[in-house]
Amino acid sequence: LTASPLLQGVSPKNALAAVEKLRPERRTRSAQDSAIFREAAPAVVLVVTDEAFGSGTLLKRGEILTNAHVVDNASKITVTLTDRREFAAKVIGIDEATDVAVLKVEGKNLPTTRLGDPNRLRAGEWVVAIGSPPPPKPPEPGRFSAPSEASL
């Protein structure tokens, strides 16, 4: 189910109104049974600092994508995997404007997940955010919104 054909040429301001008219199909399977969940869940991590906590996802080479507000100004960062292994992490990049940070951990046999190609994503397509580790919760479906005109 996708709203992409309906949103071609629709301004970001009117995209939400167009999507609201759609009714998502009923799901008969558990979200935990989905291929997306099975692939991504092992790579979801718990990120804990001296002042905050949140989730992240392991990408490759021990790199973790998380929220900047969770790790900003942290003196100590601990990452816990779904298999309960813990690692000290360091910030290797942070972008406060988009609330994104990249952490790095050193470890062996780290689970990873892949990101989709944002160049192939169109307004109205389903996206999934998996968080609340450990244990991971079922994915929360949503829709990709067109970039705001202010961010272009």
Side-chain angles (χ1 to χ4, degrees):
L1 177 66
T2 180
S4 295
L6 298 175
L7 297 176
Q8 294 297 340
V10 175
S11 73
K13 181 178 178 183
N14 296 324
L16 182 59
V19 169
E20 290 297 322
K21 293 179 182 177
L22 297 175
R23 299 237 187 253
E25 65 185 75
R26 275 215 184 272
R27 306 279 181 214
T28 55
R29 296 182 338 181
S30 163
Q32 290 180 332
D33 291 335
S34 75
I36 294 170
F37 183 82
R38 285 192 311 273
E39 178 184 338
V44 175
V45 300
L46 175 65
V47 178
V48 179
T49 72
D50 37 358
E51 296 185 19
F53 67 93
S55 63
T57 188
L58 274 157
L59 301 176
K60 56 184 177 180
R61 298 183 306 270
E63 295 169 352
I64 298 168
L65 187 63
T66 190
N67 294 104
H69 72 268
V70 173
V71 298
D72 195 24
N73 298 318
S75 59
K76 179 182 176 186
I77 304 170
T78 303
V79 171
T80 305
L81 280 60
T82 55
D83 65 9
R84 305 291 189 228
R85 289 185 288 162
E86 290 188 358
F87 298 91
K90 65 179 182 176
V91 176
I92 60 172
I94 197 162
D95 182 7
E96 291 179 8
T98 58
D99 193 31
V100 172
V102 178
L103 308 178
K104 176 78 172 174
V105 296
E106 298 294 333
K108 295 183 188 255
N109 300 317
L110 298 173
T112 61
T113 193
R114 62 185 165 80
L115 295 178
D117 181 354
N119 294 319
R120 295 182 59 207
L121 189 60
R122 298 183 316 175
E125 291 187 317
W126 283 99
V127 295
V128 175
I130 300 174
S132 299
K137 290 186 177 178
E140 294 293 329
R143 290 196 185 273
F144 172 70
S145 299
S148 70
E149 294 168 355
S151 67
L152 297 178

